[in-house]
Amino acid sequence: MSKSIGTILFGEGGDVIRDSRIQALVLASGVLIMESAVLSPIIADLAVEFSVGEARAGLLMLAYTIPLVILVPIMGILSDRYGKKYFLVPGLALFGLAGVGIAFVSSFDSILVLRMLQSVGHAAAGPIVIAMIGDFYSGVQETTAQGIRTAGINMGIIGIPILSGILFVYSWKYPFLLYFVAVPVAIWAWYVIPQTKETGESSIGDYINELLALFKKPQMAYLVSTFVVRFLLLFGFLTYISVLAIGEAGLSVKAAGLLVAVKGVVSLVSSTQVGRFSNRFSTENIIIGGFFIGSVGVILMGVIPTSVAIAIGAVLYGFGDGIVSPSQKSLVNQISPEGMRGGAVSVATTLQNLGKVVGPGMIAIMLLVSNISIAFTIVGITGLIGGVGLMIGFKRSKF
């Protein structure tokens, strides 16, 4: 009997890709990653277009990030109480329409307002995608689906900045038209995704108390702490890889950018194989292996800062990060009660934002007393001890 294309590409649970629900959810994740992917390559030029300083141009990211951090846990909790579909679909639509609206305004302040509205849409839809996968699938299928979702995100991270830069050449307005794709995705999601409203007699106060109790349990506490460690490694790498590659290995700016692309491509490929790995290893062991391999890659970059070693390190780190990301989300779904997945995923993804600050911050502080090679080495060791150690604690604790 011949195997299906999904099984060949993704392993035993690969047929999940034929389900219109996962197709819609993967597209939703790919759409939402455009929040920064569209803007990141054009911020400097946009500042010139509107005659604002680069510091003020940075508000385009800040206006998006602050509401997102505040609203994500709130939206997750409400989605569990009133139905995830009622947050996913309007969230996608608001994200897309507010983004497109930027192309039709003429002041920088108006853009900031629309970016804040986009952030509200993202907060409503983003974490819910992860939780809904846990509602619809279980076992190998759920892990595979999370891997496919991560692969879709990585494709967007690689391709959208290039397309945005090309469109900007013709007009500053054109890149923002890319956001319109969120609207048809929202409409499709409305028709193919069933409602997952969780009914219950408890009040919102009781729900919050139950959610807090969930995060006080040792296994959940260990697991969500690994979200911080993963982003510590990721944003340390993204922020300072060019400093290491150019300053220590003597590579060009283009070569440093290529290292980021290599990491992205390897992460994309490895994330699609998480379901295949889960046929042989437990989800927690996959996370342990991913942190070990990825951290060793970062350590290698710091200890041997040559062009070849940095390239090998980027591949190792990309592979490890690619299997850790979907596995973490899958494990949160596995150990969260069915009616609390939206809140649990939202809190976990909010906590990971600490890593965005901790990783670059660690390196910045260490550069005051050492060099970039030592800084990378220490960050890698931190990721190794933190990621692997926390997951060992997860395995040994009783839930």
Side-chain angles (χ1 to χ4, degrees):
M1 184 177 179
S2 60
K3 293 183 178 180
S4 68
I5 186 66
T7 302
I8 293 171
L9 292 176
F10 309 119
E12 185 179 323
D15 279 345
V16 70
I17 192 63
R18 301 169 63 181
D19 189 336
S20 59
R21 295 175 300 175
I22 188 59
Q23 292 168 4
L25 292 173
V26 169
L27 279 176
S29 283
V31 163
L32 293 172
I33 198 61
M34 290 197 301
E35 51 95 359
S36 58
V38 167
L39 265 177
S40 59
I42 65 172
I43 282 183
D45 291 324
L46 204 61
V48 174
E49 186 71 33
F50 282 89
S51 301
V52 298
E54 291 185 358
R56 190 154 188 252
L59 292 175
L60 290 170
M61 291 298 188
L62 194 61
Y64 194 96
T65 303
I66 292 177
L68 190 67
V69 171
I70 296 171
L71 292 175
V72 160
I74 297 173
M75 295 293 190
I77 291 170
L78 293 176
S79 73
D80 275 335
R81 303 301 297 172
Y82 301 109
K84 298 183 183 72
K85 182 175 177 178
Y86 294 144
F87 288 79
L88 173 69
V89 174
L92 283 171
L94 178 59
F95 174 86
L97 293 174
V100 171
I102 294 174
F104 298 94
V105 299
S106 56
S107 72
F108 188 77
D109 288 339
S110 297
I111 295 178
L112 292 179
V113 171
L114 289 170
R115 284 288 287 169
M116 292 178 70
L117 287 175
Q118 266 197 302
S119 180
V120 174
H122 191 160
I128 292 170
V129 173
I130 300 169
M132 289 185 102
I133 291 175
D135 289 338
F136 297 145
Y137 313 104
S138 61
V140 174
Q141 277 196 326
E142 197 268 344
T143 307
T144 301
Q146 295 289 1
I148 295 172
R149 186 195 71 87
T150 301
I153 289 173
N154 282 319
M155 288 180 66
I157 291 173
I158 295 169
I160 292 171
I162 297 173
L163 183 56
S164 178
I166 293 172
L167 290 174
F168 190 89
V169 172
Y170 298 96
S171 170
W172 73 265
K173 298 172 183 265
Y174 289 169
F176 298 101
L177 299 180
L178 293 171
Y179 288 120
F180 185 75
V181 72
V183 177
V185 171
I187 294 172
W188 187 33
W190 178 260
Y191 284 103
V192 302
I193 294 178
Q195 183 54 275
T196 59
K197 181 178 178 180
E198 306 297 342
T199 58
E201 300 296 329
S202 62
S203 66
I204 189 69
D206 290 336
Y207 172 91
I208 293 175
N209 288 333
E210 291 173 7
L211 187 64
L212 291 173
L214 176 66
F215 277 86
K216 288 179 181 178
K217 293 181 178 179
Q219 272 199 319
M220 184 62 88
Y222 282 126
L223 179 57
V224 297
S225 296
T226 69
F227 280 65
V228 179
V229 176
R230 177 182 166 247
F231 266 51
L232 179 153
L233 287 167
L234 178 60
F235 279 83
F237 172 84
L238 292 176
T239 306
Y240 285 99
I241 184 61
S242 61
V243 177
L244 179 72
I246 296 170
E248 295 293 326
L251 298 177
S252 65
V253 174
K254 290 183 179 179
L258 182 61
L259 288 170
V260 177
V262 166
K263 183 271 172 194
V265 171
V266 175
S267 290
L268 188 160
V269 174
S270 65
S271 65
T272 65
Q273 301 307 301
V274 168
R276 199 184 303 274
F277 296 145
S278 67
N279 284 320
R280 301 185 61 184
F281 308 103
S282 66
T283 307
E284 51 262 45
N285 282 340
I286 293 173
I287 298 174
I288 288 173
F291 270 121
F292 180 84
I293 294 169
S295 298
V296 167
V298 175
I299 293 170
L300 178 63
M301 294 183 222
V303 174
I304 312 174
T306 64
S307 57
V308 173
I310 292 175
I312 293 173
V315 170
L316 291 173
Y317 173 58
F319 178 86
D321 189 58
I323 63 175
V324 166
S325 177
S327 300
Q328 285 177 317
K329 278 76 171 181
S330 177
L331 200 52
V332 170
N333 278 334
Q334 290 175 34
I335 67 176
S336 298
E338 187 175 357
M340 300 181 69
R341 287 194 183 117
V345 170
S346 297
V347 173
T349 53
T350 299
L351 288 175
Q352 75 184 8
N353 288 314
L354 290 175
K356 293 182 180 181
V357 178
V358 175
M362 276 183 63
I363 294 180
I365 292 171
M366 285 185 284
L367 288 179
L368 297 175
V369 295
S370 62
N371 58 47
I372 189 64
S373 296
I374 294 175
F376 254 70
T377 303
I378 294 176
V379 166
I381 292 172
T382 302
L384 179 62
I385 295 173
V388 173
L390 286 166
M391 286 310 301
I392 291 175
F394 173 92
K395 292 182 68 174
R396 291 182 175 178
S397 61
K398 292 183 178 180
F399 194 71

